[in-house]
Amino acid sequence: MATLTIHFDPEVLAHIVAAGADGVVEMNVSLGGSAGAAKATPAPTGPLAPLMVAGLLKANDVLTFRQTRAKRSATAIVQPDGQLIVEGKATLFPSPSKAASAVTGSAINGWTLWRLPDGRTLDELRDELMSGDD
């Protein structure tokens, strides 16, 4: 059996508590949301999180991977939680190297292979973050 856990912001809890003397609070839960519904954005975690928090990498950034000799290429999309979706793969990948390995079939350093549209690698972004350059 599936378990559903709901976490409320303190502001929402205060509203529920103040909702009335009868103790009845009406809530609607739906999948997909509506045009006016606010969606919670998950905080990035994992290896890409520092780049995302610093604003060097954003959700929905497109990364490309090319190995000319092996005639391989791939595209990945950065997710709000810091994971990667690789085109043609059914799972999310928690790190650039795991995503690259899914494309190549062997262990490989994804930090040096995945590139942003401007040509920089994730490794170069990481170096930029460490040096404090913007």
Side-chain angles (χ1 to χ4, degrees):
M1 174 187 266
T3 300
L4 173 65
T5 304
I6 300 174
H7 298 274
F8 294 101
D9 290 334
E11 184 179 341
V12 173
L13 285 175
H15 178 74
I16 291 170
V17 169
D22 62 2
V24 176
V25 176
E26 224 178 288
M27 298 179 75
N28 294 313
V29 178
S30 64
L31 296 175
S34 62
K39 291 185 179 179
T41 302
T45 59
L48 295 178
L51 298 176
M52 295 179 77
V53 170
L56 295 171
L57 191 64
K58 296 178 205 70
N60 298 316
D61 277 353
V62 177
L63 306 174
T64 56
F65 170 112
R66 282 191 178 54
Q67 288 183 313
T68 310
R69 287 186 187 167
K71 297 182 180 172
R72 281 191 285 239
S73 64
T75 302
I77 310 250
V78 178
Q79 299 305 293
D81 65 359
Q83 295 189 79
L84 296 172
I85 290 180
V86 177
E87 179 182 30
K89 304 293 178 186
T91 60
L92 289 169
F93 297 94
S95 75
S97 295
K98 289 190 186 299
S101 294
V103 174
T104 65
S106 60
I108 193 159
N109 184 350
W111 289 93
T112 60
L113 293 173
W114 291 108
R115 294 183 178 272
L116 289 160
D118 66 8
R120 291 180 298 166
T121 65
L122 292 174
D123 195 45
E124 290 170 329
L125 283 185
R126 194 166 49 178
D127 287 346
E128 190 176 317
L129 177 65
M130 298 305 267
S131 69
D133 295 342
D134 285 335

